[in-house]
């Protein structure tokens, strides 16, 4: 099946620093990528949806200036948490949806997640 | 009210037991329905899609009742390896303001004990 990778798998940073998380689709072209956040014992919450080459669409309550999303190519999307604070500590998961024959355009493939801890 | 509601559990059952999870969703325009499994500190993985006619995959049976906006998952002959959190997931129809995004329930935790 399709593979999505994330890097780094975990990161610890000091409060006030910025952290970039990469999401790559390894064997298909992802026209749409989704970024989720999951706090302990809670559900995955969609943060934003990005389509290649256009601005991301953010969910209500998610600050677009704090969570910068770039989807510059069909295989790479990045999420940058700017000026991270302890309350941003969470599990960040991306998913990618394909847009060509052979890869279901309705199927989302999830990355393994990135665990962010802000001290 | 959450768009997808599940009993968080935990459900503690012995090996070999049959266990059922329920889920309700509030948006009648929801198009597709799924059960995902999530292990601790891992990403969710698709377990099965759910259809109105009901569908079965080995020990797992899923049912959808559109009229009641209710989804269920039945696990028969539970194994230790079934211990995980089971997420009820609903997909909205694509439209001008939607992208067919997935809406996740909180998840139901299952612990199968020897």
């Amino acid at each position: 099946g399709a593979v999505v990778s994330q890097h780094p798998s975990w990161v610890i940073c000091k409060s006030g620093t910025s952290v970039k998380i990469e999401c790559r689709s390894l064997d298909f072209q992802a026209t749409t990528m989704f970024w989720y956040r999951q706090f302990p014992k809670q559900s995955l919450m969609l943060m934003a949806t990005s389509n290649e080459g256009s601005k991301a669409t953010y969910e209500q309550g998610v600050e677009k200036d704090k969570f910068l999303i770039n989807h510059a190519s069909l295989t790479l999307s990045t999420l940058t948490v700017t000026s991270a604070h302890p309350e941003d500590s969470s599990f960040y998961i991306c998913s990618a949806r394909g847009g060509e024959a052979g890869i279901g355009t309705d199927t989302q493939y999830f990355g393994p997640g990135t665990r962010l801890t802000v001290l | 009210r959450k768009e997808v509601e599940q009993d968080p559990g935990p459900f503690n059952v012995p090996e070999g037991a049959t266990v059922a999870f329920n889920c309700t969703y509030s948006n009648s325009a929801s198009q597709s329905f799924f059960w995902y499994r999530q292990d601790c500190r891992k990403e969710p993985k698709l377990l099965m899609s759910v259809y109105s006619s009901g569908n079965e995959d080995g020990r797992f049976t899923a049912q959808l009742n559109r009229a009641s906006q209710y989804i269920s998952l039945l696990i028969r002959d539970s194994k230790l390896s079934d211990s995980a959190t089971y997420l009820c997931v609903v997909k909205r129809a694509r439209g001008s303001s939607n992208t067919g995004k997935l809406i996740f329930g909180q998840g139901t935790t299952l612990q199968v004990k020897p």
Side-chain angles (χ1 to χ4, degrees):
Chain A
V3 178
V4 175
S5 70
Q6 273 185 248
H7 177 81
S9 54
W10 59 270
V11 58
I12 301 173
C13 69
K14 291 182 180 178
S15 186
T17 60
S18 293
V19 175
K20 181 187 279 190
I21 302 170
E22 291 186 351
C23 177
R24 292 182 186 272
S25 57
L26 298 184
D27 51 1
F28 69 103
Q29 294 186 323
T31 51
T32 305
M33 286 188 171
F34 302 86
W35 286 95
Y36 295 84
R37 180 170 54 182
Q38 186 178 32
F39 293 107
K41 297 191 184 300
Q42 294 189 26
S43 181
L44 274 77
M45 296 299 295
L46 181 64
M47 299 175 68
T49 303
S50 73
N51 291 297
E52 184 265 338
S54 58
K55 288 185 180 180
T57 302
Y58 289 80
E59 295 299 302
Q60 195 172 12
V62 178
E63 300 174 57
K64 60 182 179 182
D65 294 331
K66 180 169 180 64
F67 299 99
L68 303 178
I69 291 172
N70 186 293
H71 191 167
S73 79
L74 284 171
T75 59
L76 174 64
S77 176
T78 60
L79 167 67
T80 301
V81 183
T82 62
S83 186
H85 288 96
E87 58 266 28
D88 298 322
S89 300
S90 188
F91 190 44
Y92 291 86
I93 307 173
C94 73
S95 74
R97 187 171 70 198
E100 61 184 37
I103 299 291
T105 55
D106 269 354
T107 302
Q108 284 189 34
Y109 300 92
F110 285 85
T114 297
R115 193 160 299 279
L116 169 64
T117 301
V118 185
L119 303 176
Chain B
R1 183 188 171 190
K2 293 177 185 175
E3 188 164 341
V4 180
E5 299 237 33
Q6 291 181 254
D7 178 352
F11 283 57
N12 295 302
V13 303
E15 265 188 297
T18 296
V19 61
F21 304 140
N22 302 318
C23 166
T24 57
Y25 61 96
S26 60
N27 190 330
S28 59
S30 300
Q31 178 189 48
S32 307
F33 309 88
F34 311 90
W35 283 101
Y36 276 72
R37 170 192 170 129
Q38 186 175 26
D39 292 287
C40 190
R41 294 176 174 268
K42 300 280 189 181
E43 77 276 23
K45 294 187 177 175
L46 179 64
L47 181 64
M48 58 198 303
S49 301
V50 189
Y51 305 109
S52 297
S53 54
N55 48 303
E56 188 175 306
D57 182 2
R59 297 181 293 108
F60 299 83
T61 301
Q63 291 273 355
L64 165 66
N65 185 321
R66 283 189 184 267
S68 304
Q69 295 180 196
Y70 173 93
I71 306 162
S72 66
L73 176 68
L74 183 76
I75 305 176
R76 291 182 299 279
D77 188 24
S78 301
K79 312 289 184 193
L80 295 176
S81 57
D82 293 335
S83 298
T85 297
Y86 291 83
L87 304 170
C88 178
V89 182
V90 166
K91 184 161 80 171
R92 294 180 186 163
R94 291 203 206 187
S96 57
S97 61
N98 274 317
T99 54
K101 58 188 180 186
L102 300 179
I103 309 297
F104 285 79
Q106 181 184 0
T108 300
T109 300
L110 172 66
Q111 274 287 347
V112 182
K113 299 188 182 299

